[in-house]
Structure formats: C-alpha cells, structure tokens
Amino acid sequence: MKKSVFFSALTVAGLAATASAAATLDDVKARGTLNCGVATGVPGFAAPNASGEWEGFDVAVCRAVATAVLGDPMAVEFVPTTGKTRFTALASGEIDVLARNTTWTFSRDVDLKFTFIGVNYYDGQGFMVPKELGVSSAKELDGATVCIQTGTTTELNLADFFRVNNLSYEPVPIETNSEAQQQYLAGACDVYTTDASGLAATRSTFENAADHVILPEIISKEPLGPLVRHGDDEWGDVVRWSFYAMVAAEEYGVTSANVGEMSATAGDNPEVNRLLGTEGNLGEMLGLDADFAKKIIENVGNYGEVFAANIGESTPIGLARGLNAQYTEGGLIYAPPFR
Amino acid sequence: MATTVSEPPKAGFRLSMLIYDTRYRSMTIQVVALIGFLILIGFLVSNTIQNLNELGKDVSFDFLEEPAGYDINQTLLDYNNQHSHLRAAVIGLLNTLLVAFLGCITATIIGVIVGVARLSNNWLVARLMTIYVEMFRNVPVLLWIVFAMAILIETLPSPRDFKSGEATMSLFGSTAFANQGIFIPRLMATPYAWLLLLVFLVCVAAVIYIRKRALKVQANTGRLPKTGLISLVTLVVPVCVVFLGLSALSRSNTQVMIAAGLDQPVTAAVAAEELGSFDLCYPSGSASSLAARQFLEAAEIKYRRQDYFSKDAARRNFIRGRCDVLVVDQSSASATLAALSEEMRDGTKLTVLADDFSEGNAVRVEYPRITETGIPRFEGGTVLRNSLLALWLALSLYTAAFIAEIVRAGILAISAGQTEAASALGLRPKRIMSLVVLPQALRVIIPPLISQYLNLTKNSSLAIAVGYMDLTGTLMGITLNQTGKELETLMIGMLIYLLISLSISAGMNWYNNRVKLVER
C-alpha cells in the first residue's frame, strides 16, 4: 500500500513538472510584464535614477524585449540580482531574461544550461589602483591586496593571472559593488578588479575620480550578454532579435528620431523595410507584431543611441566605443541579416 | 497453592477496531501520519529529480574532485587554486569552526562577566550592563557584523600610512593595527621544537598535580602548603633547559641554499646577480627560513620571498619553478640535491650555493614589518584579518548579551539563603560567587547555553557579508557559482551544519550531565 501511494505521488509530480515547462513568451504576454534580472546597481549599466526608475545599458535590453513583446517599454519588473543569485534566479524561472553584465563562457552555456543570445558589450577584466600607489602595470602588483566580487569569472581570471606571472596576492572577496568601493576607498585593498567597464562606472561615482587609474592590462575576454534558459528556443529568438534589431538599426542609420518617418512607407533599402516591418513578415515569425523593431527603436533607441546615452563619452562613465563599434567602423558589433 | 486467573474474553480482531478501539486508535493515527509524511517526502524528491531532469541536470558529486580555480585568503591548511573543490570546502569548514570556537569562548567569558555585573550592587555598573544587553539583543546580528567591519576599515590606518610614517607599529613595534587586519609576531621553530611543547605540557600537568596534592593536604590537616615557588620552578626550569639544549643543537646545524638555474657553486651574492631574480622559498613557521632571511639581509642581497604553507609545499613549488632558492640542512644537502634534480621536470640545473649559515635558536620570533619596495604591505608574522575580527567580535558581543541574561537567570534561581549562609561563614563576596553561587547556577545555565552556542555557530554563516571565507562562502558560494550545482552544494552544506550543531549539542549535554544535581 505504501509503495503504491509513493508511485502515484511520483506520477502526479511528474505531470505537474511537465505542465510547468510552458512557453515563456505566452507566460510573459499573459502576465503583462517582463521579469528581467539586472545588477544590484552599476552606474551606466543598471541602476535606479533619482526618481527610482531603472536605467542603463543593460536595462535597455530589458526595455527592448518588453517593447517587442508587450509594446510598452515600462512593462518590466526589475529583479536586482547579485553575482551569486543571478543564475539560480534565471534557472528557477523567477526571471525571464538576465541582462546583467554576465560573461559568456563555455561552462555557463553548456553546463549551467543557459543560452546566451548575443554580446551587447565586449569587455575585459582590468585593474583599478590609486595613483599614489605608483603602479603603472599589473605586473607590478606583487603582494597586492585585491578586492574581487565573489561568484564571478573575475576571481578565476585573477587566480590564473597571478599564477601565470608568479605573483602573490591576497584576495578579499566582496559580495556587492558598493562594499568593494568602500573597502577600496578606505585603502583596505590596494586594487579593485572587475570588468573594465564596471571599473569605469565605479570610478565615475568617486569624489576624486582623477586620483585613480585603470591599468592598461586587460587580462581576460569578457563578452557580456543577455541570457535565457535552455529549452525554450522561441523565447530565446524573441530576445535575440529584439537585441539585434537595435544593432541593425544603428548600422542602417535608423534612429529614434527618424524611425517614424522611415517606417511610414517602404523605402529603397529592403533590409530596412524588413527590419521595420514594412516588407515581409519577420515579426509574425517570432510571434510578435510586424513593427516590433520599429517600436523598440522608437521607445528605446538604436544600439549607438543607447550606448551614448548611458555609458558613452559624454556621460560620467566616459567609455569609448572601441571594440563595441559597428563592424563597419572597426568594432565587433555585428547583427546577422534581417531576412 | 492454586491461584485462579480470570482470563479476559477472547474477541476476534475486526478492522473497525482500528478506529473505535482506544487500544489501536493511537497507532492507526500514527501510521496514517507516517504515510502522509512519506508521500510528502516522495513528492518533493521526485518533483526535484523530475525538474532537474527536465533542465538536463543530473545529481552528481563529481565536481568535488575538479580543481577549484579560486584562491582563499585565510587557509588553515595548505591550499592553492589548483586544489579541488572538496579541499576548498574543507578550508571553508575549518574557517567556520575557527570563528565558531573563538566566538563561543569569548561570548561565554563576556556573557558571564556581564551577567554577574548586571546583578551588581553598584548602580552604574548594573545600568551600563543593562544598556549593553538591550543594545546588542535588539539589533540584528548582521548589522553588528557589518558595523564592526566598517569601524575596522574606516578607523584603522592602511599599510600605506605605515610606510609613509603617518602610522606606527604598536606594542613596542611588534604589532600593527591596520585596516587589513592585525599583524602580530609569530614563532618560527626548528623541526624538533615540538619537544619543547611536550616538555611544557608535562610541566603544566606536574604543576596541576602539585596544586591538587596541596589541596588534599589542606583537606586533611587544615594547613595549605605553599606551592608558589615550586610551581614556578617546575614550570620554568625544564623548559629553559630543553630550550638551551635544542638551541645548542640547532645553532650548530648549518644551513645551505639550493638554487635553480645555476651549475657553479657560487655565493648567494653572485647568484642573485646572475639569476636576476632571487625568489626565496619561504615555508611558514620554519626557523631555517628566518635564518636565511637574516643572512640575506645582512649580506645586503636583494631577494623576494615566496611564502608557502609548509616545507613540503615549498619543495613542490621549487620543483615547479615558482621559487628559485630552497633552504636545506647542510648534512642532507647533497642527497636532497640529487632527489630534486631527478624530480625537476625540465632538467633545470641545480647547485648548492657556497654560503652557509646557522639555523639559530630552536624557537624565535618573527615580527611583521612593512615592505620597503613595491606595494606597501606587511610581511612576516601572522595576521588576524579584519573579516575574522569583525565576525568574531560581532558574533561574540551579540551572543554574549543572550548568555548574560541566561547567567543572570541562573544566579537569581539560587536562593538568597545560600549567599547569606556563605557570608555567615565569613566568605568574601568574590568567593561566594565562584564557590557557592555559580557552581549551583551552572545546572540552570547549561541547557539554554547550548542553544546559544548553536545560534552562534549558525550565525557564523553570515560571514560572506564581510568577505570571510567560511563554508557558506566557499562551498555554498564560489563553488556553487562556478559549478552550478546548487542542490548538491547546499545539501552538503546543510548536512555539515547539522553535524556541527549535533556534535556541539552532544558535547554540551555530556557536560550538563556532569554538572547537574546528582539525586539519590
């Protein structure tokens, strides 16, 4: 008797589990909001502004997806995640997409069962030191006390870098960016290491930003990109092409200012026509409106606009496009064709 | 003599009796409850397995054998980033146990003092203790931990200040209170120095025996023999003699250095020039490495020390080419040289340098000092990192507030007549407390004290807030993140915490059985 009850419980559980793995796109539409995992506060990438609205370069990806699926860039529920909690949040279904400066690595893609939908920022791990330390190269960091955020690829890169160069160091593991900042500014650690973009963002918030230098060595490849769970390819496609719509728009010169005009009638460039939905049925294939890309560009902007507004050279963060320029301008940003 | 036994009427067993017969009903309820419980467990387990399968993840513990890849700052065992995740977890576990152990001891000491002082007749002392207890009891422990860390970081000077002369070392130049931690001197010992420790322990045992015998004499004759001088002599003389003997041996024990990358037996000065870099393999706590350091400094040879956990670790890293110069006994130098040459992977040439120096005294003290070149940091000595200090301090002060209340309750449970009787015998207040009241209060104090120890141990898992790498930070933190094995790591972690708590309980229960009132 006990056994049969146990097996029937197994069956019930099995059925329940199968039912729960439904299409994310339908879930999001039914819910009316997109649950988007972001960082707990990295200026320029994801941080609430003075009026409490999230904004930043990563946040723009969330807004783009929400615009594509729900037609409203504000229909996003932001879930702040730490380096430690982000993967669990995504795997458990608490968030639909994770847009939190997350490095695309083999084991995260394959072993952790996630799908990276592209790269929105090509980054690399760097070091920031106070100028008074008199260090001009990472090779001079022997014996340094280094603040690192735990649960990131950063600590593995760091261990490798110091091992390969036969230098010693003392790691100080930190849970969040703000704690790292506190320890670094008080001089409890000599060096702060994370992605170079994150360093620039953190430095922009310092009182005396000019007293700190980012060392020239970039010790790792950090392609940062949004990611979704394995196993729901339709949803992965929606996120992927919402992002690439912004990239393609910049390539073809479609901006939030001229998108209304360009999408009013079909123009000469068939690629632009297909992107904006005046030709073909690309939106429909994704299960979205034909003009999903138009709405994204209208409400969020193209890749270049988002970059300039959040982290570009005119902002306090002051990052140059560098690797993140369009491929036509010597960068690595490249959207597959919309056809 | 015959007795008549009236047998109860034999009735057949009917199913309805399971509910209506009070003899069976309680059992029926229990069986039903058990089945319900098993169904619940079965549901949870199968649901988990099903969902993991669906995500394409399987439950496996193989990841424990893979290299961890990350470094840990405070390691009580030899560890580097090439060791396994399992080893990293053990390092974390030891850190957890360390802070729990230190915390329980200090919390008990502070708690007992505060608890007794709260009952003091001195109005000011009693009120101050009340304020302490209320303040710590009513604020979450996480805030205290973060607060303690912030104070340590913000108020203490950084190593840079020590270099620039803005801050100086305390306690006769031996200790540095910096915002990276407290750097204290450490003992450097020769391989035979454990003899010294053994002799010391034997002497302590002897002193305890002398004291006990004196008390016996007092009980028999009423006269307490003087033991002060003889105790002192027993404690000091044998240790001194053994120390002098061992030091005489170690001073005549000549040390030489084996250098990699040279084939001529040149002097250290020439070697440093030819090699360009002179990385001294520096096993922690070894007197010979301190001797080598002093020799190199006296000869004004520029060197860099590479600290390793043990002589074995230093030797391993020498073979891998991570440090260039290994210190060995002269007597075994040629044998070691031959063994090392065989093990060197790429056939690097090895040679014994021409200089030699004495190993020095059996036990010596190494003081921390600020480095002169490169990034300012403290070298030598040992460090109590501020993450450990903040956690230890906050956990002990927080738990001590609860223990103080337990102690106060225990003391109040002893009737005032006991105190009065003791004072009538002419005992002084201190002795009344330590000989009459506290021993009786212990049996009220111990049981709730156990749960405070358990609380402290479990609260130590908040360590990651200050970057202390305990079990939660290593196994359930970085390992979880790098391998993505949430279920496995959390299960192991929970099991370990359970085991720690159960062993603390078992130990304290045993102690409780010893001190509780023996009834006839």
Side-chain angles (χ1 to χ4, degrees):
Chain A
M1 142 103 189
K2 250 195 252 167
K3 253 188 187 166
S4 67
V5 168
F6 181 77
F7 284 120
S8 61
L10 273 180
T11 328
V12 170
L15 288 173
T18 328
S20 71
T24 314
L25 181 59
D26 298 335
D27 287 350
V28 173
K29 279 183 178 166
R31 203 189 300 133
T33 54
L34 172 78
N35 290 339
C36 195
V38 289
T40 47
V42 179
F45 285 84
N49 65 12
S51 57
E53 265 172 33
W54 283 86
E55 55 183 32
F57 188 68
D58 284 332
V59 168
V61 175
C62 305
R63 299 234 185 265
V65 176
T67 315
V69 178
L70 304 163
D72 178 7
M74 304 314 274
V76 189
E77 185 76 44
F78 288 101
V79 180
T81 55
T82 66
K84 235 170 112 174
T85 60
R86 55 183 163 177
F87 296 126
T88 318
L90 183 60
S92 68
E94 187 187 343
I95 52 179
D96 304 312
V97 58
L98 177 67
R100 183 205 182 277
N101 43 26
T102 300
T103 307
W104 186 351
T105 66
F106 180 93
S107 61
R108 284 174 180 176
D109 198 334
V110 178
D111 196 31
L112 296 189
K113 313 281 179 198
F114 294 126
T115 300
F116 283 81
I117 59 98
V119 176
N120 70 340
Y121 192 91
Y122 287 94
D123 209 341
Q125 184 176 344
F127 297 99
M128 175 161 65
V129 294
K131 268 191 188 151
E132 59 168 316
L133 216 53
V135 170
S136 58
S137 155
K139 301 263 167 72
E140 295 165 25
L141 289 178
D142 189 32
T145 306
V146 185
C147 276
I148 7 163
Q149 271 194 56
T150 63
T152 55
T153 42
T154 319
E155 50 205 351
L156 303 192
N157 295 330
L158 187 73
D160 283 350
F161 175 79
F162 277 88
R163 188 160 59 96
V164 167
N165 290 295
N166 200 16
L167 304 172
S168 61
Y169 75 108
E170 160 112 4
V172 178
I174 312 274
E175 186 82 350
T176 65
N177 192 38
S178 57
E179 283 167 42
Q181 219 168 301
Q182 184 202 8
Q183 295 229 8
Y184 172 76
L185 286 177
C189 38
D190 304 309
V191 187
Y192 181 31
T193 181
T194 185
D195 298 340
S197 63
L199 289 178
T202 306
R203 188 172 62 168
S204 71
T205 63
F206 288 176
E207 239 170 84
N208 303 313
D211 293 348
H212 301 271
V213 280
I214 294 173
L215 297 178
E217 282 90 349
I218 297 293
I219 63 166
S220 67
K221 288 193 285 189
E222 306 282 345
L224 309 181
L227 55 156
V228 296
R229 280 181 297 280
H230 257 193
D232 190 350
D233 291 348
E234 285 76 18
W235 175 245
D237 289 343
V238 168
V239 180
R240 176 176 297 115
W241 291 99
S242 300
F243 167 64
Y244 279 131
M246 296 199 288
V247 176
E250 189 193 11
E251 187 187 341
Y252 302 131
V254 185
T255 65
S256 54
N258 66 15
V259 66
E261 190 187 319
M262 286 178 93
S263 63
T265 51
D268 309 333
N269 188 340
E271 193 88 16
V272 174
N273 293 345
R274 281 194 295 269
L275 174 68
L276 298 180
T278 50
E279 196 181 309
N281 58 349
L282 295 184
E284 216 172 286
M285 290 181 202
L286 276 177
L288 302 173
D289 297 339
D291 61 348
F292 79 98
K294 179 206 149 195
K295 282 191 277 186
I296 291 175
I297 297 154
E298 209 171 5
N299 291 305
V300 184
N302 69 28
Y303 182 85
E305 287 177 297
V306 169
F307 193 104
N310 291 303
I311 53 177
E313 281 175 302
S314 60
T315 63
I317 314 242
L319 290 171
R321 283 298 286 269
L323 282 179
N324 296 293
Q326 289 283 342
Y327 74 102
T328 49
E329 284 154 31
L332 292 173
I333 295 293
Y334 183 106
F338 272 74
R339 63 162 66 246
Chain B
M1 198 166 138
T3 51
T4 49
V5 178
S6 62
E7 296 273 328
K10 272 191 183 168
F13 176 76
R14 293 185 310 279
L15 263 182
S16 61
M17 286 169 69
L18 284 178
I19 295 175
Y20 296 115
D21 191 319
T22 46
R23 281 175 298 173
Y24 300 116
R25 192 190 289 150
S26 68
M27 235 195 282
T28 316
I29 293 174
Q30 287 191 40
V31 168
V32 169
L34 180 68
I35 291 173
F37 182 68
L38 287 179
I39 291 174
L40 185 71
I41 298 269
F43 172 74
L44 287 177
V45 169
S46 69
N47 196 12
T48 309
I49 293 174
Q50 174 86 24
N51 277 326
L52 283 177
N53 271 342
E54 212 134 287
L55 284 170
K57 289 181 174 183
D58 48 349
V59 179
S60 121
F61 291 91
D62 296 344
F63 69 95
L64 286 173
E65 296 301 317
E66 287 161 22
Y70 58 91
D71 287 296
I72 299 175
N73 47 14
Q74 178 182 304
T75 57
L76 298 182
L77 288 181
D78 185 24
Y79 172 84
N80 64 48
N81 57 42
Q82 294 308 297
H83 278 113
S84 64
H85 281 293
L86 182 66
R87 183 95 178 180
V90 170
I91 300 287
L93 171 63
L94 288 177
N95 285 345
T96 294
L97 291 176
L98 174 72
V99 78
F101 178 72
L102 291 174
C104 285
I105 290 178
T106 40
T108 313
I109 295 173
I110 300 172
V112 170
I113 293 175
V114 172
V116 172
R118 242 195 119 175
L119 292 170
S120 161
N121 291 327
N122 185 325
W123 186 86
L124 190 65
V125 170
R127 283 313 117 98
L128 277 178
M129 293 305 142
T130 309
I131 292 173
Y132 163 79
V133 168
E134 294 305 332
M135 234 173 60
F136 275 88
R137 241 181 6 163
N138 294 307
V139 174
V141 64
L142 180 62
L143 295 188
W144 284 118
I145 295 174
V146 174
F147 183 63
M149 185 68 171
I151 287 185
L152 287 176
I153 289 176
E154 300 289 348
T155 59
L156 293 174
S158 72
R160 273 169 246 164
D161 299 331
F162 281 90
K163 190 172 185 185
S164 66
E166 276 171 55
T168 48
M169 311 260 291
S170 320
L171 304 177
F172 312 108
S174 68
T175 306
F177 293 89
N179 66 357
Q180 290 180 352
I182 299 180
F183 296 82
I184 55 174
R186 75 170 160 192
L187 294 178
M188 305 290 270
T190 53
Y192 297 107
W194 58 268
L195 266 173
L196 203 60
L197 188 70
L198 187 77
V199 170
F200 178 71
L201 289 179
V202 169
C203 290
V204 169
V207 167
I208 292 173
Y209 176 72
I210 291 171
R211 289 281 161 106
K212 270 200 168 163
R213 233 186 52 167
L215 286 178
K216 220 181 212 174
V217 170
Q218 188 193 21
N220 288 340
T221 66
R223 188 185 55 85
L224 184 65
K226 285 197 174 136
T227 54
L229 190 66
I230 192 162
S231 301
L232 195 70
V233 169
T234 319
L235 214 52
V236 173
V237 172
V239 173
C240 285
V241 169
V242 173
F243 175 74
L244 290 177
L246 282 177
S247 296
L249 270 180
S250 64
R251 255 192 250 120
S252 62
N253 189 7
T254 319
Q255 303 286 306
V256 290
M257 296 180 280
I258 295 181
L262 292 170
D263 46 6
Q264 296 291 322
V266 290
T267 63
V270 177
E273 221 159 87
E274 270 185 36
L275 285 172
S277 72
F278 197 87
D279 288 4
L280 181 64
C281 312
Y282 202 91
S284 291
S286 148
S288 58
S289 32
L290 184 59
R293 197 188 97 182
Q294 284 171 344
F295 165 76
L296 289 172
E297 271 158 23
E300 290 184 354
I301 296 167
K302 274 204 172 169
Y303 71 99
R304 191 172 71 141
R305 57 186 265 186
Q306 297 275 25
D307 283 64
Y308 298 110
F309 188 82
S310 63
K311 281 198 165 165
D312 268 356
R315 192 171 185 275
R316 260 200 323 274
N317 281 286
F318 178 76
I319 291 168
R320 285 206 204 107
R322 308 191 73 84
C323 55
D324 311 323
V325 181
L326 195 66
V327 183
V328 291
D329 287 353
Q330 194 176 36
S331 51
S332 64
S334 49
T336 316
L337 186 73
L340 283 172
S341 307
E342 248 170 60
E343 281 185 64
M344 285 308 257
R345 268 193 213 150
D346 46 2
T348 309
K349 286 169 194 149
L350 300 178
T351 185
V352 178
L353 295 181
D355 319 77
D356 56 41
F357 46 87
S358 142
E359 196 175 14
N361 286 339
V363 174
R364 275 188 298 165
V365 183
E366 186 197 35
Y367 295 100
R369 53 175 191 182
I370 195 92
T371 52
E372 274 153 25
T373 54
I375 290 173
R377 69 190 156 106
F378 286 97
E379 207 175 49
T382 194
V383 57
L384 299 170
R385 288 180 181 77
N386 55 17
S387 50
L388 170 68
L389 288 172
L391 189 67
W392 177 18
L393 203 69
L395 284 178
S396 349
L397 288 177
Y398 177 79
T399 314
F402 291 89
I403 293 181
E405 286 300 273
I406 293 170
V407 170
R408 187 168 70 110
I411 292 173
L412 288 178
I414 305 305
S415 81
Q418 295 280 328
T419 317
E420 284 158 12
S423 19
L425 285 176
L427 289 178
R428 275 164 286 150
K430 238 191 212 164
R431 298 208 130 187
I432 297 177
M433 186 52 81
S434 63
L435 292 177
V436 178
V437 179
L438 274 184
Q440 295 188 74
L442 267 187
R443 59 175 204 270
V444 185
I445 292 173
I446 301 284
L449 195 62
I450 301 174
S451 61
Q452 289 310 322
Y453 285 170
L454 297 184
N455 275 346
L456 189 144
T457 310
K458 287 179 288 180
N459 283 341
S460 74
S461 62
L462 294 168
I464 191 64
V466 287
Y468 182 74
M469 294 309 275
D470 70 336
L471 187 66
T472 321
T474 55
L475 178 71
M476 293 184 275
I478 305 180
T479 294
L480 186 159
N481 229 283
Q482 304 302 352
T483 60
K485 300 278 184 194
E486 294 103 346
L487 193 76
E488 293 88 335
T489 51
L490 290 177
M491 255 166 33
I492 300 176
M494 283 159 69
L495 197 71
I496 292 177
Y497 274 110
L498 185 70
L499 284 179
I500 297 175
S501 293
L502 288 179
S503 2
I504 293 177
S505 275
M508 290 300 289
N509 279 330
W510 170 81
Y511 183 63
N512 189 32
N513 281 333
R514 276 197 47 184
V515 299
K516 79 177 176 195
L517 199 63
V518 184
E519 289 167 341
R520 252 174 277 204

